[in-house]
């Protein structure tokens, strides 16, 4: 993107208007906002998807009384854009399903709270939007995983969980989406597909199982979970076919892009399913939504991973001494034109900020993502609104800062101690208390016109 002085001037005018909290364009902040008329519609759409009974948030805001009780905090967390959680800077780049309030909405909430958070009568509707078990559409197949029982006082627990499937014929899968029964319990899961050659796997539809381990998928866990083919061979594995992090929503790419062909026998395996500490006895039973298509995948997607475990080294090496803030860079030059669909910045608890962009051979910069305040809890897979072309010869650059001081509320060590990448697990450690610095791009080789292909989700009600 070229530096353009006219844009800067227009931006300055707009910010100074918003800055005084009065208007944005021609629309004014109401002088006496009420919950009934102004706040309920904003909150129903932007807050209740999580702040509902059994939602991802720790408390419900479905009753006006609950909202009023927290009015001051709501003013604070919306003003500093802590809520709704959307770490990416919306002034830098845009993505599908952005969760951001407009400046006008924020100013309206502020004024409403300043004026004592009046309800404005009881004649209004305030309801959480219908809870979609899928954020894509009605799934064609729902694969249940085994139930996990958690006890009050449990600390972090890690599982590998499998579900075996038998279809009547081979199918094309356009999207996969993991949905926990109770949002907020799973911290993350990394899902693989195991594809069995025709007639090499008995068992079948609905066979589930799990083991509790921090060791990750290896030959032993394959054996313990009965994942080996009947002839003793290891099935073909599709890595990271589905992933889960809190807040993640499923994506289905346009017809023919991405997706997989699955044989009649396949298994879905959740690796490193990480349940956080439980504060009550509870259970979870995640399901995998499967979306089929008749269109064969024409354009394969690939993953390019920079940093930890990836194609580019981290400079300086990822060691974050106690009581220090450090900055690290990783860069990689691509040798072919690519179209980027989705990106995933990944750091652990010491993460402070993240910034990624590409520098074209002609020196222009393509902004990818900027996260000024890293939040370990919200690590989205960000899908661009339209595919982003990065031409051959461009250098992709990611810069991350880590804060290993007591000022970082997520610091797992009080007092701080030196934290680094650790390699004693047969790969980089995924434990949140060790560090990682990754930037993952999902891409497909560039074709003319890709810049115009929209990746916006078509929401179809189930
Ligand atoms: C994607 C899910 C999600 C959405 C959408 C969401 N929240 Fe939250 N909210 C959470 C979670 C999880 C927490 C607890 C963890 C945390 O504080 O980060 C939380 C915490 C809060 C807190 C407590 C913060 C504190 O410091 O104690 C407030 C207040 C809040 N949210 C208000 C809102 C409001 C208002 C909206 C809508 C404008 C909203 N949230 C939208 C998930 C969400």
């Amino acid at each position: 993107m070229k530096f353009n002085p006219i844009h800067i001037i227009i931006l300055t005018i707009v910010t100074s208007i918003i800055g005084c909290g009065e208007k944005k364009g021609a629309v004014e902040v109401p002088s006496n906002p009420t919950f009934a008329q102004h706040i309920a519609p904003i909150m129903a759409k932007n807050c209740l998807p999580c702040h509902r009974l059994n939602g991802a948030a720790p408390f419900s805001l479905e009753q006006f009384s609950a909202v009023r009780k927290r009015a001051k905090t709501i003013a604070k967390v919306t003003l500093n854009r802590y809520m709704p959680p959307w770490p990416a800077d919306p002034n830098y780049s845009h993505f599908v399903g952005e969760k951001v309030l407009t400046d006008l909405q924020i100013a309206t909430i502020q004024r409403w709270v300043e004026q004592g958070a009046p309800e404005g009568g009881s004649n209004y509707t305030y309801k959480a939007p219908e809870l979609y078990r899928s954020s894509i559409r009605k799934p064609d197949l729902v694969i249940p995983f085994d139930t996990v029982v958690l006890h009050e006082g449990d600390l972090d627990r890690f599982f590998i969980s499998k579900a075996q499937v038998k279809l009547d014929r081979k199918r094309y899968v356009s999207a996969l989406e993991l949905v926990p029964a109770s949002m907020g319990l799973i911290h993350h899961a990394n899902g693989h597909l195991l594809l069995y050659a025709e007639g090499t796997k008995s068992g079948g539809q609905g066979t589930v199982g799990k083991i509790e381990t921090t060791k990750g998928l290896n030959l032993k866990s394959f054996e313990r979970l009965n994942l080996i083919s009947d002839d003793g061979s290891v099935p073909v594995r599709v890595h990271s076919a589905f992933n889960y992090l809190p807040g993640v929503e499923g994506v289905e790419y346009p017809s023919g892009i991405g997706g997989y062909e699955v044989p009649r026998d396949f298994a879905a395996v959740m690796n490193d399913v990480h349940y956080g500490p439980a504060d009550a006895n509870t259970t979870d039973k995640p399901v995998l939504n499967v979306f089929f298509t008749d269109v064969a995948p024409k354009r394969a997607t690939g993953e390019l991973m920079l940093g930890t475990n990836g194609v580019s080294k981290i400079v300086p090496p990822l060691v974050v001494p106690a009581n220090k803030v450090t900055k690290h860079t990783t860069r990689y030059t691509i040798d072919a034109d690519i179209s980027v669909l989705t990106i995933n910045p990944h750091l652990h608890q010491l993460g402070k900020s993240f910034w990624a962009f590409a520098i074209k051979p002609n020196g222009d910069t393509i902004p990818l993502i900027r996260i000024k305040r890293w939040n370990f809890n919200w690590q989205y897979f960000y899908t661009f609104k339209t595919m982003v072309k990065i031409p051959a010869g461009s250098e992709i650059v990611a810069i991350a800062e880590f804060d290993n001081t007591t000022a970082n509320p997520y610091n797992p060590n009080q007092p701080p101690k030196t934290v680094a990448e650790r390699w004693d697990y047969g790969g980089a450690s995924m434990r949140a208390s060790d560090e990682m610095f990754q930037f993952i791009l999902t891409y497909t080789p560039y074709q003319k016109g890709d810049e115009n292909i929209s990746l916006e989700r078509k929401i179809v009600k189930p």
Side-chain angles (χ1 to χ4, degrees):
M1 210 165 60
K2 279 245 167 68
F3 173 75
N4 183 336
I6 295 177
H7 284 169
I8 303 285
I9 292 165
I10 295 171
L11 262 178
T12 320
I13 296 168
V14 174
T15 1
S16 53
I17 293 170
I18 298 165
C20 61
E22 287 299 325
K23 345 170 158 175
K24 184 186 183 187
V27 191
E28 307 224 355
V29 176
S31 42
N32 298 105
T34 62
F35 187 74
Q37 202 186 339
H38 307 96
I39 306 301
I42 301 175
M43 293 197 50
K45 178 163 182 287
N46 296 286
C47 315
L48 296 192
C50 297
H51 287 275
R52 66 198 302 157
L53 195 66
N54 296 326
F59 54 90
S60 157
L61 289 173
E62 287 168 293
Q63 307 300 328
F64 171 70
S65 54
V67 176
R68 172 127 77 186
K69 202 175 89 190
R70 295 185 196 258
K72 286 215 170 78
T73 330
I74 290 172
K76 198 177 106 199
V77 298
T78 50
L79 185 64
N80 66 15
R81 295 187 178 278
Y82 182 67
M83 288 286 144
W86 186 258
D89 180 354
N91 295 316
Y92 191 68
S93 51
H94 291 287
F95 302 96
V96 172
E98 247 167 33
K99 294 186 187 34
V100 279
L101 296 181
T102 64
D103 294 296
L104 177 66
Q105 290 172 323
I106 294 173
T108 306
I109 295 171
Q110 303 309 306
R111 180 167 292 173
W112 173 69
V113 174
E114 276 158 27
Q115 295 179 354
E119 184 168 20
S122 56
N123 188 16
Y124 61 91
T125 41
Y126 177 54
K127 242 177 64 199
E130 213 179 308
L131 185 61
Y132 296 116
R133 291 288 285 154
S134 164
S135 56
I136 300 177
R137 59 183 159 88
K138 187 172 188 290
D140 299 307
L141 175 68
V142 177
I143 305 174
F145 284 98
D146 210 3
T147 304
V148 173
V149 179
L150 302 168
H151 309 284
E152 184 176 346
D154 273 357
L155 296 176
D156 298 76
R157 293 178 65 187
F158 293 84
F159 297 89
I160 304 177
S161 189
K162 72 140 187 192
Q164 233 172 282
V165 183
K166 194 172 204 63
L167 301 174
D168 56 354
R169 59 192 160 100
K170 68 169 200 193
R171 298 292 299 261
Y172 302 126
V173 170
S174 59
L176 295 165
E177 178 186 50
L178 186 76
V179 187
S182 177
M183 288 160 81
L185 286 175
I186 296 189
H187 275 204
H188 74 256
N190 180 227
H192 307 297
L193 292 182
L194 303 182
L195 312 180
Y196 295 94
E198 185 71 36
T200 62
K201 188 66 183 164
S202 40
Q205 183 64 33
T207 316
V208 296
K210 66 176 184 306
I211 53 175
E212 187 158 5
T213 172
T214 55
K215 291 258 157 60
L217 260 188
N218 52 26
L219 196 58
K220 196 155 159 224
S221 46
F222 261 75
E223 278 163 2
R224 284 177 65 197
L225 281 163
N226 187 20
L227 289 167
I228 306 281
S229 308
D230 298 345
D231 61 7
S233 65
V234 176
V236 172
R237 175 163 19 152
V238 183
H239 271 271
S240 295
F242 58 97
N243 292 301
Y244 180 83
L245 292 163
V248 155
E249 290 176 359
V251 212
E252 186 174 36
Y253 293 135
S255 207
I257 300 177
Y260 317 95
E261 181 182 315
V262 291
R264 289 182 55 194
D265 288 298
F266 72 95
V269 177
M270 288 197 287
N271 192 13
D272 291 306
V273 194
H274 173 193
Y275 283 90
D279 50 16
N281 292 336
T282 182
T283 60
D284 187 30
K285 190 172 179 59
V287 299
L288 184 68
N289 290 335
V290 183
F291 302 87
F292 291 127
T293 172
D294 292 329
V295 183
K298 283 193 288 284
R299 300 181 60 184
T301 55
E303 270 192 1
L304 177 65
M305 185 154 81
L306 276 68
T308 309
N309 283 337
V311 291
S312 59
K313 67 171 198 275
I314 300 170
V315 182
L318 188 47
V319 178
V320 194
N323 302 306
K324 288 276 187 298
V325 173
T326 59
K327 187 172 177 172
H328 307 261
T329 304
T330 185
R331 7 178 112 233
Y332 184 72
T333 301
I334 54 168
D335 57 9
D337 292 353
I338 61 170
S339 293
V340 182
L341 302 138
T342 299
I343 55 176
N344 173 229
H346 180 64
L347 311 175
H348 286 175
Q349 288 160 317
L350 298 184
K352 178 177 165 67
S353 72
F354 196 103
W355 184 20
F357 50 87
I359 305 168
K360 296 207 260 185
N362 70 2
D364 285 356
T365 300
I366 303 171
L368 295 174
I369 189 162
R370 186 164 62 197
I371 296 176
K372 289 183 183 159
R373 230 174 349 169
W374 180 260
N375 185 326
F376 177 71
N377 294 328
W378 303 109
Q379 310 210 22
Y380 296 110
F381 290 78
Y382 295 91
T383 297
F384 288 105
K385 292 190 172 226
T386 49
M387 292 199 223
V388 173
K389 176 185 177 183
I390 306 184
S394 298
E395 186 177 42
I396 299 171
V397 183
I399 302 169
E401 282 183 306
F402 296 84
D403 182 349
N404 196 0
T405 69
T406 49
N408 175 358
Y410 299 102
N411 198 328
N413 303 307
Q414 303 288 355
K417 61 178 197 211
T418 297
V419 171
E421 268 178 322
R422 282 182 45 181
W423 295 91
D424 42 0
Y425 295 86
S429 159
M430 305 238 262
R431 288 199 317 210
S433 51
D434 297 325
E435 267 309 326
M436 265 187 155
F437 170 17
Q438 284 182 328
F439 183 51
I440 304 168
L441 302 95
T442 306
Y443 70 95
T444 183
Y446 175 76
Q447 286 180 10
K448 198 158 175 265
D450 274 358
E451 305 83 335
N452 304 319
I453 298 184
S454 168
L455 301 172
E456 292 279 0
R457 209 178 309 120
K458 297 172 281 300
I459 303 262
V460 183
K461 285 204 175 190

